[in-house]
Short mmCIF file of all heavy atoms in Angstrom, two decimals:
data_model
loop_
_atom_site.label_atom_id
_atom_site.label_comp_id
_atom_site.label_asym_id
_atom_site.label_seq_id
_atom_site.Cartn_x
_atom_site.Cartn_y
_atom_site.Cartn_z
N ARG C 1176 -31.76 -39.87 14.79
CA ARG C 1176 -30.97 -40.41 13.61
C ARG C 1176 -31.47 -39.70 12.39
O ARG C 1176 -32.62 -39.46 12.15
CB ARG C 1176 -31.14 -41.88 13.66
CG ARG C 1176 -30.30 -42.51 12.51
CD ARG C 1176 -30.20 -44.01 12.62
NE ARG C 1176 -29.53 -44.54 11.42
CZ ARG C 1176 -29.30 -45.91 11.45
NH1 ARG C 1176 -29.75 -46.72 12.25
NH2 ARG C 1176 -28.72 -46.31 10.30
N ARG C 1177 -30.40 -39.25 11.68
CA ARG C 1177 -30.64 -38.69 10.43
C ARG C 1177 -30.02 -39.57 9.22
O ARG C 1177 -28.80 -39.21 9.04
CB ARG C 1177 -30.41 -37.14 10.20
CG ARG C 1177 -30.87 -36.29 11.20
CD ARG C 1177 -32.50 -36.04 10.98
NE ARG C 1177 -33.01 -35.17 11.81
CZ ARG C 1177 -33.74 -35.44 12.95
NH1 ARG C 1177 -33.64 -36.75 13.38
NH2 ARG C 1177 -34.26 -34.55 13.70
N GLY C 1178 -30.52 -40.57 8.79
CA GLY C 1178 -29.90 -41.50 7.73
C GLY C 1178 -28.77 -42.12 8.44
O GLY C 1178 -29.05 -42.89 9.47
N ASP C 1179 -27.55 -41.95 7.99
CA ASP C 1179 -26.37 -42.59 8.59
C ASP C 1179 -25.75 -41.77 9.73
O ASP C 1179 -24.68 -42.08 10.20
CB ASP C 1179 -25.30 -42.87 7.50
CG ASP C 1179 -25.85 -43.99 6.52
OD1 ASP C 1179 -26.68 -44.74 6.83
OD2 ASP C 1179 -25.41 -43.89 5.30
N HIS C 1180 -26.39 -40.74 10.09
CA HIS C 1180 -25.68 -39.79 11.13
C HIS C 1180 -26.74 -39.46 12.29
O HIS C 1180 -27.90 -39.87 12.27
CB HIS C 1180 -25.40 -38.54 10.46
CG HIS C 1180 -24.42 -38.77 9.22
ND1 HIS C 1180 -23.15 -39.11 9.38
CD2 HIS C 1180 -24.74 -38.84 7.90
CE1 HIS C 1180 -22.59 -39.24 8.16
NE2 HIS C 1180 -23.46 -39.08 7.22
N MET C 1181 -26.10 -38.88 13.35
CA MET C 1181 -26.87 -38.61 14.48
C MET C 1181 -26.74 -37.14 15.04
O MET C 1181 -25.55 -36.58 14.99
CB MET C 1181 -26.23 -39.59 15.65
CG MET C 1181 -27.03 -39.71 16.86
SD MET C 1181 -28.37 -40.89 16.54
CE MET C 1181 -28.56 -41.46 18.27
N LEU C 1182 -27.87 -36.60 15.39
CA LEU C 1182 -27.79 -35.36 16.00
C LEU C 1182 -27.48 -35.55 17.55
O LEU C 1182 -27.79 -36.51 18.13
CB LEU C 1182 -29.03 -34.52 15.88
CG LEU C 1182 -29.73 -34.33 14.50
CD1 LEU C 1182 -31.03 -33.62 14.62
CD2 LEU C 1182 -28.74 -33.52 13.61
N ARG C 1183 -26.96 -34.41 18.09
CA ARG C 1183 -26.77 -34.57 19.61
C ARG C 1183 -28.29 -34.32 20.30
O ARG C 1183 -28.46 -34.93 21.27
CB ARG C 1183 -25.76 -33.60 20.08
CG ARG C 1183 -25.83 -32.14 19.61
CD ARG C 1183 -24.67 -31.30 19.98
NE ARG C 1183 -24.62 -30.15 19.11
CZ ARG C 1183 -23.72 -29.07 19.31
NH1 ARG C 1183 -22.96 -29.09 20.28
NH2 ARG C 1183 -23.80 -28.11 18.55
N TYR C 1184 -28.96 -33.46 19.66
CA TYR C 1184 -30.36 -33.26 20.11
C TYR C 1184 -31.11 -32.60 19.04
O TYR C 1184 -30.39 -31.96 18.12
CB TYR C 1184 -30.43 -32.48 21.50
CG TYR C 1184 -29.53 -31.18 21.34
CD1 TYR C 1184 -29.99 -29.99 20.79
CD2 TYR C 1184 -28.39 -31.27 22.01
CE1 TYR C 1184 -29.26 -28.98 20.84
CE2 TYR C 1184 -27.52 -30.08 21.93
CZ TYR C 1184 -27.95 -28.90 21.37
OH TYR C 1184 -27.25 -27.72 21.31
N ALA C 1185 -32.46 -32.68 19.03
CA ALA C 1185 -33.16 -31.99 17.97
C ALA C 1185 -33.82 -30.66 18.41
O ALA C 1185 -34.31 -29.91 17.53
CB ALA C 1185 -34.18 -32.90 17.31
N ALA C 1186 -33.90 -30.51 19.72
CA ALA C 1186 -34.60 -29.36 20.26
C ALA C 1186 -33.78 -28.09 19.97
O ALA C 1186 -32.60 -28.10 19.79
CB ALA C 1186 -34.78 -29.51 21.80
N GLU C 1187 -34.49 -26.92 19.85
CA GLU C 1187 -33.76 -25.65 19.64
C GLU C 1187 -32.97 -25.27 20.85
O GLU C 1187 -33.32 -25.59 21.92
CB GLU C 1187 -34.84 -24.66 19.40
CG GLU C 1187 -35.37 -24.66 18.00
CD GLU C 1187 -36.01 -23.42 17.49
OE1 GLU C 1187 -35.95 -22.40 18.23
OE2 GLU C 1187 -36.62 -23.34 16.35
N ASP C 1188 -31.86 -24.68 20.63
CA ASP C 1188 -30.99 -24.30 21.68
C ASP C 1188 -30.68 -22.70 21.54
O ASP C 1188 -31.55 -22.00 20.97
CB ASP C 1188 -29.58 -24.96 21.70
CG ASP C 1188 -28.85 -24.85 20.39
OD1 ASP C 1188 -29.15 -23.88 19.62
OD2 ASP C 1188 -27.86 -25.51 20.14
N ASP C 1189 -29.69 -22.32 22.14
CA ASP C 1189 -29.43 -20.80 22.13
C ASP C 1189 -29.34 -20.22 20.73
O ASP C 1189 -29.63 -18.97 20.50
CB ASP C 1189 -28.04 -20.40 22.89
CG ASP C 1189 -27.96 -21.22 24.06
OD1 ASP C 1189 -28.94 -21.74 24.65
OD2 ASP C 1189 -26.83 -21.37 24.57
N PHE C 1190 -29.04 -21.10 19.71
CA PHE C 1190 -28.75 -20.58 18.42
C PHE C 1190 -29.79 -21.22 17.33
O PHE C 1190 -29.60 -21.12 16.14
CB PHE C 1190 -27.35 -20.95 17.81
CG PHE C 1190 -26.25 -20.17 18.51
CD1 PHE C 1190 -25.84 -20.62 19.81
CD2 PHE C 1190 -25.71 -19.09 18.01
CE1 PHE C 1190 -24.78 -19.79 20.42
CE2 PHE C 1190 -24.69 -18.30 18.74
CZ PHE C 1190 -24.25 -18.79 19.91
N GLY C 1191 -30.88 -21.66 17.84
CA GLY C 1191 -31.82 -22.31 17.02
C GLY C 1191 -31.75 -23.82 16.92
O GLY C 1191 -31.07 -24.44 17.77
N ALA C 1192 -32.19 -24.45 15.91
CA ALA C 1192 -32.17 -25.83 15.84
C ALA C 1192 -30.84 -26.45 15.15
O ALA C 1192 -30.29 -25.67 14.25
CB ALA C 1192 -33.29 -26.40 14.93
N PRO C 1193 -30.19 -27.41 15.69
CA PRO C 1193 -28.91 -27.89 15.10
C PRO C 1193 -29.05 -28.15 13.61
O PRO C 1193 -30.12 -28.83 13.19
CB PRO C 1193 -28.56 -29.10 15.92
CG PRO C 1193 -29.25 -28.94 17.23
CD PRO C 1193 -30.59 -28.19 16.87
N GLU C 1194 -28.14 -27.77 12.81
CA GLU C 1194 -28.25 -27.97 11.45
C GLU C 1194 -27.19 -29.13 10.84
O GLU C 1194 -27.40 -29.61 9.71
CB GLU C 1194 -27.69 -26.74 10.70
CG GLU C 1194 -28.60 -25.44 10.97
CD GLU C 1194 -27.91 -24.23 10.36
OE1 GLU C 1194 -27.78 -24.08 9.13
OE2 GLU C 1194 -27.65 -23.31 11.23
N THR C 1195 -26.29 -29.59 11.73
CA THR C 1195 -25.36 -30.64 11.35
C THR C 1195 -25.33 -31.78 12.31
O THR C 1195 -25.88 -31.65 13.59
CB THR C 1195 -23.86 -30.06 11.34
OG1 THR C 1195 -23.69 -29.30 12.57
CG2 THR C 1195 -23.77 -29.15 10.10
N ALA C 1196 -24.91 -32.87 11.96
CA ALA C 1196 -24.78 -34.05 12.84
C ALA C 1196 -23.50 -33.89 13.57
O ALA C 1196 -22.50 -33.34 13.27
CB ALA C 1196 -24.67 -35.34 12.03
N PHE C 1197 -23.51 -34.37 14.89
CA PHE C 1197 -22.39 -34.32 15.79
C PHE C 1197 -21.58 -35.64 15.64
O PHE C 1197 -22.20 -36.61 16.04
CB PHE C 1197 -22.76 -34.00 17.22
CG PHE C 1197 -21.84 -33.41 18.01
CD1 PHE C 1197 -21.53 -32.07 17.86
CD2 PHE C 1197 -21.15 -34.10 19.11
CE1 PHE C 1197 -20.70 -31.34 18.69
CE2 PHE C 1197 -20.35 -33.40 19.84
CZ PHE C 1197 -19.99 -32.00 19.72
N ASN C 1198 -20.56 -35.68 15.11
CA ASN C 1198 -19.79 -36.92 14.82
C ASN C 1198 -19.65 -37.92 15.86
O ASN C 1198 -19.91 -39.15 15.73
CB ASN C 1198 -18.31 -36.72 14.11
CG ASN C 1198 -18.58 -36.02 12.69
OD1 ASN C 1198 -19.55 -36.34 12.00
ND2 ASN C 1198 -17.60 -35.21 12.37
N VAL C 1199 -19.29 -37.47 17.14
CA VAL C 1199 -19.08 -38.49 18.21
C VAL C 1199 -20.42 -39.15 18.47
O VAL C 1199 -20.41 -40.19 18.89
CB VAL C 1199 -18.56 -37.77 19.41
CG1 VAL C 1199 -19.47 -36.93 20.07
CG2 VAL C 1199 -18.05 -38.96 20.44
N CYS C 1200 -21.58 -38.46 18.26
CA CYS C 1200 -22.90 -39.05 18.69
C CYS C 1200 -23.20 -40.17 17.53
O CYS C 1200 -23.82 -41.15 17.88
CB CYS C 1200 -23.95 -37.95 18.58
SG CYS C 1200 -23.77 -36.81 19.87
#
């Protein structure tokens, strides 16, 4: 959780760490 929003995951993937929240999450 990032404030009022949610990441799908915080671990790095093929393109690095996610920078935005995934709305459905």
Side-chain angles (χ1 to χ4, degrees):
R1176 185 169 175 177
R1177 300 293 184 272
D1179 292 333
H1180 304 284
M1181 191 78 148
L1182 303 180
R1183 46 188 163 173
Y1184 48 82
E1187 287 199 3
D1188 61 16
D1189 318 341
F1190 292 81
E1194 301 171 60
T1195 50
F1197 206 72
N1198 288 327
V1199 73
C1200 297

